[in-house]
Amino acid sequence: MITFNYETDFSIDKSDVLQAWISRVIDNHGFEQGEINYIFCDDDYLHKLNVQFLNHDTLTDIISFDNCLGNLINGDIYISVDRVADNATTYNVSFDNELHRVMIHGVLHYCGF
């Protein structure tokens, strides 16, 4: 199951389409989907996690906590929508394009990339 959770004023559009896409990516890489939680937050929220759990005093767009069991993909993926917006501007892409790139980035880590 893929769930989307929010710690900031933000919500995903077309969540069913994104869930199906993420599931296909997992399946195409030979893994089985377990429980994946996306938590969308702001810079301050993710910065605190970065300091607390990784000892990194920097801003980041994503932190993924891997709870995979063999080929069963499980984990919590925290995404700063503030960083996504800034990166979209920096790389001259749409917010949705950058958001989708970051979302799949976390899953691909779980698949061994």
Side-chain angles (χ1 to χ4, degrees):
M1 176 193 308
I2 298 170
T3 60
F4 300 121
N5 307 281
Y6 308 96
E7 293 293 333
T8 191
D9 187 25
F10 173 78
S11 64
I12 288 287
D13 293 327
K14 300 180 183 177
S15 61
D16 54 335
V17 172
L18 288 174
Q19 289 166 329
W21 171 59
I22 295 163
S23 294
R24 280 192 312 276
V25 169
I26 291 168
D27 185 56
N28 287 341
H29 284 89
F31 291 86
E32 183 180 344
Q33 178 190 304
E35 293 188 26
I36 301 171
N37 299 300
Y38 283 92
I39 302 93
F40 298 95
C41 56
D42 61 19
D43 274 345
D44 289 338
Y45 190 100
L46 198 55
H47 179 252
K48 288 176 187 171
L49 292 179
N50 209 11
V51 170
Q52 181 179 358
F53 293 101
L54 302 175
N55 294 318
H56 297 156
D57 190 11
T58 59
L59 296 176
T60 187
D61 52 3
I62 182 172
I63 296 176
S64 56
F65 294 97
D66 185 340
N67 297 314
C68 296
L69 299 168
N71 279 349
L72 185 63
I73 301 294
N74 296 292
D76 297 320
I77 299 172
Y78 290 83
I79 296 174
S80 168
V81 294
D82 296 335
R83 284 300 93 221
V84 169
D86 284 352
N87 289 345
T89 299
T90 298
Y91 299 119
N92 197 33
V93 297
S94 71
F95 176 85
D96 285 345
N97 181 287
E98 181 65 10
L99 178 65
H100 298 162
R101 184 192 68 78
V102 171
M103 289 175 71
I104 210 64
H105 174 119
V107 168
L108 289 173
H109 273 304
Y110 298 157
C111 293
F113 292 91

